[in-house]
Amino acid sequence: MQLGITIPLQKYLKMKVPFYGEPIDLFFCWELHVIKYQGKNTLVVVNANNRFIVLLVGMKAADWKELSTRVEEAIELGMLGEGYTKEQIDSYFNLAGDSVITKTHGRKPVAGLNKAIDYLYYIADPIDSDCLYQQIHCKIINRDICSPIGFEEYGYPVEFFKKDMERLGIIT
């Protein structure tokens, strides 16, 4: 699985510029960005193919040091929140492979990331300060109409994510 980090996140983490990953199915690629949301540092993670989003709000220094692990946990929580079984989630991660930090995956996936962030600022619901993963906010954004890179029609990220799961035979 490729975790494409934006330049602002690279600077925030004081990382060296990562390499471009090997070409793989964009369903196994995620774009990562850091923003301030409701006064807290927020990691925004968006699937490059279908714009499915997960949010981690209020990460501490120890969480940033375990970035890949936190991202995988967030993706798993996002999938569980949408009704996927543990077996289906494990199948996704097995097909995706080990997490690797890379550059982002092109203009359109990053544009999708930016659109999702724009929509986030219109959500009035307060964050849950007791949890890193923000389920309510993710559910709302994953039902925002869009046209991601992996699909020609307009629809919702949650529906596109399901279509990708079906395409790979993880669900029927």
Side-chain angles (χ1 to χ4, degrees):
M1 180 164 51
Q2 293 181 4
L3 307 177
I5 62 172
T6 62
I7 293 170
L9 180 56
Q10 290 171 36
K11 290 177 181 176
Y12 180 80
L13 297 174
K14 298 178 175 82
M15 291 179 68
K16 292 181 181 174
V17 177
F19 65 96
Y20 284 107
E22 296 295 320
I24 64 170
D25 188 322
L26 285 179
F27 184 44
F28 301 119
C29 300
W30 297 79
E31 309 296 18
L32 283 60
H33 187 56
V34 63
I35 62 170
K36 252 320 183 216
Y37 182 63
Q38 295 187 13
K40 302 219 182 239
N41 288 329
T42 299
L43 178 66
V44 180
V45 181
V46 176
N47 187 276
N49 199 57
N50 54 50
R51 216 184 98 181
F52 186 81
I53 190 170
V54 293
L55 299 172
L56 295 175
V57 177
M59 288 180 51
K60 307 284 188 241
D63 296 313
W64 290 108
K65 288 180 182 174
E66 297 292 328
L67 182 63
S68 295
T69 302
R70 293 295 92 77
V71 168
E72 289 175 13
E73 291 168 353
I75 294 168
E76 181 175 352
L77 288 170
M79 292 173 77
L80 284 169
E82 295 299 343
Y84 293 98
T85 66
K86 183 73 171 129
E87 293 78 25
Q88 292 165 338
I89 296 167
D90 289 345
S91 291
Y92 173 80
F93 281 106
N94 287 336
L95 289 172
D98 293 334
S99 292
V100 178
I101 301 289
T102 67
K103 289 186 176 183
T104 55
H105 299 91
R107 290 182 180 181
K108 187 144 184 180
V110 172
L113 167 79
N114 290 332
K115 284 284 196 185
I117 291 169
D118 288 347
Y119 185 67
L120 176 64
Y121 288 113
Y122 288 99
I123 300 173
D125 298 50
I127 59 168
D128 181 352
S129 298
D130 296 330
C131 299
L132 281 179
Y133 176 71
Q134 301 297 313
Q135 184 170 352
I136 292 170
H137 295 77
C138 295
K139 281 203 173 269
I140 293 169
I141 296 173
N142 284 326
R143 282 149 183 85
D144 176 37
I145 197 159
C146 66
S147 176
I149 193 168
F151 298 88
E152 293 182 13
E153 70 273 8
Y154 280 86
Y156 303 111
V158 68
E159 294 170 350
F160 293 136
F161 192 89
K162 181 180 178 190
K163 286 181 182 181
D164 275 336
M165 294 286 279
E166 291 168 345
R167 176 176 58 86
L168 292 174
I170 298 172
I171 61 173
T172 53

